[in-house]
């Protein structure tokens, strides 16, 4: 397992939804996940949606290409650099109450 900061691990553990949790757990166990893993092992017909769910929680992912079992290039994902200030700027829509 990679050495992640305590703050980053807390962010990862705060995710409770099934689809992003699956991606996070797989990356923690194996170091990366591919679109082939998401489709074949976990049954997600649209693997990029699962990746987007993780990113929407403020978790940085790096996308790169690997060769799939059929020889084609497929997407693979691993955790990126965690910078709390940058992540807070990029997290989804923020809503404000009207006074």
């Amino acid at each position: 397992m990679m050495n992640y900061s305590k703050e980053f691990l807390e962010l990862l553990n705060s995710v409770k939804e099934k689809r992003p949790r699956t991606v996070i757990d797989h990356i923690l166990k194996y170091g990366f996940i591919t679109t082939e893993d998401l489709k074949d092992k976990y049954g997600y017909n649209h693997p990029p949606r699962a990746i987007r769910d993780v990113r929407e929680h403020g978790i940085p992912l790096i996308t790169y290409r690997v060769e799939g079992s059929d020889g084609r290039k497929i997407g693979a994902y691993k955790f990126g650099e965690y910078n709390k200030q940058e992540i807070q700027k990029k997290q989804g829509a923020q809503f404000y109450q009207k006074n």
Side-chain angles (χ1 to χ4, degrees), residues 2-19:
M2 298 281 298
N3 291 328
Y4 299 112
S5 71
K6 181 180 176 186
E7 203 171 52
F8 186 60
L9 289 173
E10 286 174 1
L11 176 62
L12 295 177
N13 289 328
S14 71
V15 177
K16 302 298 181 204
E17 294 85 7
K18 184 181 185 296
R19 193 165 43 193

Side-chain angles (χ1 to χ4, degrees), residues 18-19 22-23 34-51 53 72 77:
K18 184 181 185 296
R19 193 165 43 193
T22 300
V23 173
T34 66
T35 53
E36 196 172 74
D37 292 332
L38 287 165
K39 194 168 192 167
D40 297 342
K41 287 183 183 175
Y42 302 110
Y44 293 127
N45 291 326
H46 187 61
R49 179 66 212 154
I51 298 304
D53 287 347
R72 295 183 315 157
Y77 308 90

Side-chain angles (χ1 to χ4, degrees), residues 6 29 31 38 44 51 56-57 61 64 81-82 92 95:
K6 181 180 176 186
K29 186 172 182 178
L38 287 165
Y44 293 127
I51 298 304
E56 285 175 353
H57 282 281
L61 292 175
Y64 59 101
E81 287 294 318
Y82 176 71
F95 301 96

